[in-house]
Amino acid sequence: MNRRKLRRKIFQWLFELEFRPDAIEEIKKKLDTEFLTEEDREFAFNIIEGVWSKKEEIDEIIKSHLKGWDFERISLVDKSILRIGIYELCFWKNTPPKVAINEAVELSKAFGKDGSPEFINGVLGAIFRGDGV
């Protein structure tokens, strides 16, 4: 499976965790039922586990890069996408920064609302540059 499709699945599983936080083990088991290569399974597991375990730290990074935005008003879709992008930018480091940002923008085009791609791009770009939005 290509990484873009895999990130879509990762996004969906992380979004599910927003509503069922106790389902992390169930979601990890879903990785075994997907037709994934071992490399894809490992990538997905690392991103899901990493985002979930660093969620509070990632949310603080988001908050520190918001100007004129209230964190609580960001949609769960956008938060989930930002968390994946930030995890890949700041913690995973196996994805080139421009790829991590572009993949997050593509997720926001598929799942976000009007204005989401620009918002996601702005926040992740600010984090990459080290400034505020």
Side-chain angles (χ1 to χ4, degrees):
M1 176 178 297
N2 73 41
R3 290 283 164 101
R4 180 162 291 168
K5 287 181 182 177
L6 189 54
R7 280 186 183 89
R8 288 174 73 110
K9 293 285 236 180
I10 291 167
F11 161 76
Q12 291 168 333
W13 288 322
L14 285 168
F15 189 74
E16 180 180 346
L17 286 173
E18 290 297 321
F19 300 97
R20 297 184 334 121
D22 57 330
I24 186 76
E25 293 305 318
E26 178 184 329
I27 287 171
K28 287 181 197 175
K29 286 180 186 174
K30 285 181 184 181
L31 290 172
D32 292 330
T33 65
E34 292 290 323
F35 295 106
L36 301 174
T37 66
E38 186 59 37
E39 181 181 340
D40 287 347
R41 190 176 292 110
E42 184 177 322
F43 175 78
F45 176 81
N46 284 324
I47 299 297
I48 292 166
E49 180 72 21
V51 168
W52 200 244
S53 69
K54 294 192 175 295
K55 183 178 171 186
E56 289 178 21
E57 189 174 349
I58 292 169
D59 287 353
E60 289 304 315
I61 293 170
I62 295 170
K63 290 173 188 176
S64 72
H65 286 82
L66 296 177
K67 294 199 176 162
W69 287 86
D70 180 11
F71 179 78
E72 300 307 320
R73 296 194 69 193
I74 299 171
S75 73
L76 285 177
V77 167
D78 288 351
K79 283 180 189 174
S80 295
I81 294 169
L82 281 170
R83 289 174 181 143
I84 295 168
I86 291 168
Y87 182 76
E88 287 194 78
L89 275 175
C90 300
F91 301 101
W92 178 245
K93 306 254 185 190
N94 291 347
T95 305
K98 289 183 181 183
V99 172
I101 294 169
N102 183 61
E103 290 297 317
V105 169
E106 290 301 317
L107 281 172
S108 70
K109 288 177 183 176
F111 296 103
K113 57 186 180 194
D114 288 342
S116 289
E118 294 83 3
F119 176 71
I120 298 294
N121 188 54
V123 173
L124 293 178
I127 291 167
F128 176 63
R129 290 186 309 273
D131 57 30
V133 176

